[in-house]
């Protein structure tokens, strides 16, 4: 059985709906993990996606977060939020807000999480501590599945570049989030737990960046980062036949600032 799984920070599923439908028709993924929906669960465009043969499980509140899994090979055992997922206590809030940043489902032979890891904002910000706590909750949530025999993967926008080679110029990020030792240590902890980085091949240039800022001509200048990642257990990794960044989906007007990452499996 061949299975195509993809992840894409869509940066507003409402604003990018034509792009999403076009990409589903052209790339034909069996499973697509989406992040940054920017819509409530009941406002997700279920029907146009269903017309292409896909079921959807969405988790959103209509604010800046939101995640979903779109599948045409089954959508079972849906779980919203990580077990013991930490919340973020904003400056003007009385209680922490458990944001819609994680959703899991079993799609055919594969168990997947779609995750939108907190940005972190600044190294000395409370959001950075929240990011590290969130990643630790993700590690704990993955321990059992990582050690299992069923193919398992966590896909999404991790807001971390795993190495210096995953940013266009590491000097430009000095003192900033996304490249700090603590964030990269959190990824190393996932690896130690049995989840491994499935590095895609680039379709252009020598590095498979997945994100380019809208400003300062970052995309045409290829001033990008690889922050949309797939962390998978051994049965998943052993089944990978190809993985690539679909840079074409980032071209043109009205696109997300992220490109889809595609992983092909032979199970």
């Amino acid at each position: 059985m061949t299975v195509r799984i993809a992840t894409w920070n869509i940066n507003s599923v409402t604003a990018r709906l034509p792009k999403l439908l076009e990409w589903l028709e052209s790339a034909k993924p069996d499973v697509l993990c989406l992040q940054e929906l920017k819509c409530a669960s009941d406002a997700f465009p279920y029907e146009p996606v269903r017309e292409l043969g896909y079921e959807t499980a969405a988790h959103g509140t209509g604010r800046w977060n939101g995640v979903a899994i779109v599948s045409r090979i089954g959508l079972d055992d849906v779980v919203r939020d990580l077990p013991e997922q930490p919340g973020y206590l904003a400056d003007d809030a009385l209680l922490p807000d458990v944001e819609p940043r994680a959703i899991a489902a079993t799609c055919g032979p594969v168990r997947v999480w779609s995750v939108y890891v907190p940005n972190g904002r600044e190294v000395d910000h409370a959001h950075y501590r929240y990011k590290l706590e969130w990643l630790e909750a993700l590690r704990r949530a993955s321990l059992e599945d990582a050690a299992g025999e069923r193919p398992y993967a966590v896909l999404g926008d991790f807001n971390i570049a795993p190495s210096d080679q995953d940013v266009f110029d590491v000097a430009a990020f000095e003192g900033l989030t996304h490249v700090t030792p603590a964030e990269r240590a959190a990824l190393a902890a996932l690896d130690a737990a049995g989840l491994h980085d499935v590095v895609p091949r680039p379709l252009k240039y020598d590095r498979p960046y997945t994100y380019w800022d809208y400003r300062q001509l970052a995309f045409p200048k290829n001033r990008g980062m690889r922050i949309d990642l797939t962390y998978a257990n051994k049965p998943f990794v052993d089944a990978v036949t190809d993985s690539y960044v679909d840079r074409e989906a980032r071209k043109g007007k009205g696109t997300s600032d992220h490109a889809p990452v595609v992983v092909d499996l032979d199970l």
Side-chain angles (χ1 to χ4, degrees):
M1 179 183 184
T2 59
V3 178
R4 169 164 288 183
I5 300 178
T7 182
W8 193 4
N9 179 320
I10 197 71
N11 190 13
S12 175
V13 71
T14 304
R16 319 290 172 209
L17 181 58
K19 297 289 185 182
L20 171 63
L21 299 178
E22 177 185 349
W23 193 79
L24 287 172
E25 287 197 277
S26 62
K28 295 179 171 55
D30 297 298
V31 180
L32 173 60
C33 296
L34 293 171
Q35 302 86 43
E36 206 171 349
L37 300 182
K38 294 184 179 177
C39 77
S41 299
D42 59 4
F44 188 92
Y46 294 99
E47 190 54 36
V49 172
R50 186 181 295 115
E51 289 176 359
L52 296 180
Y54 292 90
E55 301 175 83
T56 302
H59 183 31
T61 59
R63 302 178 69 184
W64 295 103
N65 306 308
V67 286
I69 297 174
V70 175
S71 173
R72 63 178 183 180
I73 58 171
L75 196 62
D76 301 312
D77 302 323
V78 174
V79 174
R80 291 170 173 83
D81 299 328
L82 301 171
E84 302 178 357
Q85 180 174 309
Y88 176 61
L89 182 62
D91 292 341
D92 57 351
L94 297 176
L95 294 172
D97 180 19
V98 178
E99 300 170 320
R101 293 183 173 274
I103 188 170
T106 299
C107 305
V110 179
R111 180 74 175 170
V112 298
W113 280 95
S114 175
V115 300
Y116 182 31
V117 176
N119 177 280
R121 299 182 186 173
E122 298 171 355
V123 174
D124 58 354
H125 197 283
H127 208 265
Y128 180 79
R129 295 190 295 275
Y130 163 56
K131 180 178 191 174
L132 298 179
E133 291 170 359
W134 202 97
L135 286 161
E136 170 57 19
L138 175 61
R139 185 195 68 82
R140 293 194 307 266
S142 295
L143 287 173
E144 183 176 348
D145 283 306
E149 296 182 359
R150 176 175 59 179
Y152 169 81
V154 180
L155 304 97
D157 180 356
F158 279 71
N159 273 313
I160 305 170
S163 72
D164 288 354
Q165 288 70 43
D166 293 308
V167 294
F168 70 90
D169 180 5
V170 70
F173 293 87
E174 185 175 355
L176 302 180
T177 61
H178 292 53
V179 299
T180 65
E183 290 167 289
R184 288 177 173 172
L187 292 181
L190 291 179
D191 188 88
L195 299 180
H196 311 296
D197 184 8
V198 178
V199 181
R201 61 183 173 89
L203 294 187
K204 187 176 182 181
Y205 302 110
D206 59 345
R207 297 300 303 171
Y209 298 144
T210 66
Y211 164 84
W212 302 259
D213 199 299
Y214 287 128
R215 299 167 296 180
Q216 300 178 330
L217 299 175
F219 182 64
K221 292 180 179 179
N222 199 37
R223 295 168 63 89
M225 307 174 69
R226 184 172 76 93
I227 57 176
D228 301 270
L229 311 174
T230 300
Y231 269 78
N233 71 352
K234 188 176 186 300
F236 187 105
V237 171
D238 288 347
V240 173
T241 58
D242 193 14
S243 183
Y244 63 91
V245 179
D246 192 348
R247 194 176 181 278
E248 296 297 309
R250 178 61 174 79
K251 292 182 177 179
K253 295 181 179 180
T255 64
S256 171
D257 43 4
H258 296 249
V261 180
V262 178
V263 183
D264 289 333
L265 306 174
D266 185 5
L267 295 166

